[in-house]
């Protein structure tokens, strides 16, 4: 039989039961905490024995300042550090249970995912999604790469969205150019080509950077600067839903917009340098072949166009895709249609196609407004 013991904040006192080959789950029946000036702490713990081949567990109470821990026969971890630690313990329990249900172990998952499970940073649903994705040969290959892994675990339709942007982009952007330029479309083919090339190069990054993620990054070095620590704590999408046990402040969500804006400025500028450079090369080739074309065409300004496109990507594209991925898709469409993947994919296709077309229209207006592209008579 287990012995009920009282714990007083004086020298530690420990009792153990005789070995009757009984053990059972231990649960508290009465817990009372008295905190007068003497800081007296009393706790009653009862064990109900059942037959087992294992020795009976013992109850040990250690004295202290009122924060001592109760450990069963196998010992245990100390108290948590607030709500975050409680959520972390819950996440870890869910993840270990998910592994057990699937007959897998921590050794069967990548190191970064195993570390996140051990730290309680991801719930059991993410572990289950990983093994669901692993059933596909394509996803299993992509899960080897950290960036794809973080995005696929947050959104199993991420690859579909990449295909939508890159596959449909060339058609929607050409249609938008035709809509804006109308009868001048053929006269401004050099502008059209530059715009389409820039857009296709940037499309992938427009899906990649603002996509919600499950963070599996290792902790920063202690010597990291304040700015690095701040951006490390920012989400990849300013509007993404935080996992259990994590939270983002308003300033961190603003930081996500700023960080992605800086990256998209670099991507947009680089893509424009490539696109405009190719366009100018083709114009020069055509001038050499067709002498009548020399008076109709002019080189596209490389530097001003590249910087302008970088600014456009950092502001317009950044905000539109942050809202699209974090609000429209993750917070509205996915909760409503998470059981209907085909319908969800179709609606995402329609929404992203419309967003791409809108972006092309806005770029033409913006380029004409700042003077880097002029209407030809």
């Amino acid at each position: 039989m287990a012995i009920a013991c009282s714990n007083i904040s004086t020298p530690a006192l420990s009792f153990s039961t005789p070995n009757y080959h009984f053990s059972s789950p231990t649960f508290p029946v009465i817990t009372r905490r008295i905190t007068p000036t003497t800081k007296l702490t009393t706790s009653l713990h009862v064990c109900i024995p059942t037959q087992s081949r294992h020795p009976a567990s013992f109850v040990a109470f250690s004295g202290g300042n009122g924060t001592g821990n109760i450990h069963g026969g196998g010992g245990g971890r100390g108290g948590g550090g607030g709500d975050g630690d409680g959520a972390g313990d819950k996440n870890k329990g869910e993840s270990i249970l998910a592994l057990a249900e699937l007959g897998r172990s921590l050794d069967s998952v990548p190191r970064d995912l195993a570390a996140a499970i051990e730290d309680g940073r991801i719930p059991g649903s993410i572990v289950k999604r990983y093994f669901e994705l692993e059933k596909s040969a394509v996803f299993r290959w992509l899960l080897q790469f950290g960036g794809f892994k973080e995005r696929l675990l947050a959104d199993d339709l991420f690859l579909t969205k990449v295909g939508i942007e890159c596959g449909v982009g060339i058609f929607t952007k050409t249609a938008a150019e035709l809509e804006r330029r109308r009868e001048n479309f053929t006269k401004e083919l050099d502008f059209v080509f530059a715009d389409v090339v820039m857009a296709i190069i940037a499309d992938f990054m427009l899906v990649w950077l603002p996509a919600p993620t499950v963070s599996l990054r290792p902790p920063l070095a202690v010597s990291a600067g304040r700015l690095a620590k701040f951006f490390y704590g920012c989400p990849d999408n300013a509007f993404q839903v935080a996992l259990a046990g994590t939270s983002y402040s308003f300033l961190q969500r603003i930081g996500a917009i700023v960080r992605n804006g800086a990256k998209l400025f670099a991507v947009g500028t680089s893509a424009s340098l490539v696109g405009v450079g190719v366009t100018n090369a083709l114009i020069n080739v055509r001038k050499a072949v067709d002498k009548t074309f020399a008076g109709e065409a002019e080189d596209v300004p490389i530097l001003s166009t590249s910087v302008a496109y970088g600014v456009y990507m950092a502001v317009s594209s950044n905000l539109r895709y942050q809202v699209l991925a974090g609000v429209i898709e993750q917070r509205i469409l996915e909760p409503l249609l998470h059981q209907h993947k085909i319908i969800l994919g179709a609606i995402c296709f329609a929404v992203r196609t419309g967003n791409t077309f809108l972006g092309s229209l806005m770029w033409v207006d913006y380029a004409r407004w700042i003077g880097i592209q002029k209407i030809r008579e």
Side-chain angles (χ1 to χ4, degrees), residues 11 15 27 41 107 113 123 141 169 192 194 212 215 259 268 278 313 343 347:
F15 295 93
F27 61 93
T41 301
D107 295 333
L113 187 61
W141 179 70
V192 173
S215 180
R259 181 181 59 192
V278 171
M313 289 272 287
I343 299 176
I347 295 179

Side-chain angles (χ1 to χ4, degrees), residues 21-43:
H21 298 282
F22 294 115
S23 69
S24 70
T26 302
F27 61 93
V29 174
I30 300 175
T31 300
R32 182 180 58 184
R33 187 179 297 277
I34 304 174
T35 56
T37 56
T38 57
K39 295 185 178 179
L40 177 65
T41 301
T42 303
S43 180

Side-chain angles (χ1 to χ4, degrees), residues 99-119:
L99 287 172
E101 290 175 351
L102 296 167
R104 307 294 288 267
S105 66
L106 279 177
D107 295 333
S108 64
V109 300
R111 291 182 179 180
D112 54 355
L113 187 61
I117 293 173
E118 286 284 359
D119 294 341

Side-chain angles (χ1 to χ4, degrees), residues 36-89:
T37 56
T38 57
K39 295 185 178 179
L40 177 65
T41 301
T42 303
S43 180
L44 177 61
H45 205 64
V46 176
C47 300
I48 306 299
T50 57
Q51 289 186 355
S52 172
R53 296 181 180 180
H54 303 289
S57 59
F58 66 87
V59 181
F61 292 77
S62 60
N65 58 359
T67 59
N69 297 311
I70 301 175
H71 301 287
R77 191 175 60 173
D83 294 339
D85 287 345
D89 291 339

Side-chain angles (χ1 to χ4, degrees), residues 181-197:
R181 301 180 192 278
R182 296 185 180 277
E183 65 276 2
N184 294 322
F185 183 81
T186 54
K187 294 180 181 180
E188 300 174 357
L189 278 177
D190 47 347
F191 287 151
V192 173
F193 186 82
D195 289 349
V196 173
V197 170

Side-chain angles (χ1 to χ4, degrees), residues 350-361:
V351 172
R352 284 184 172 270
T353 300
N355 179 61
T356 302
F357 185 76
L358 174 63
S360 297
L361 298 179

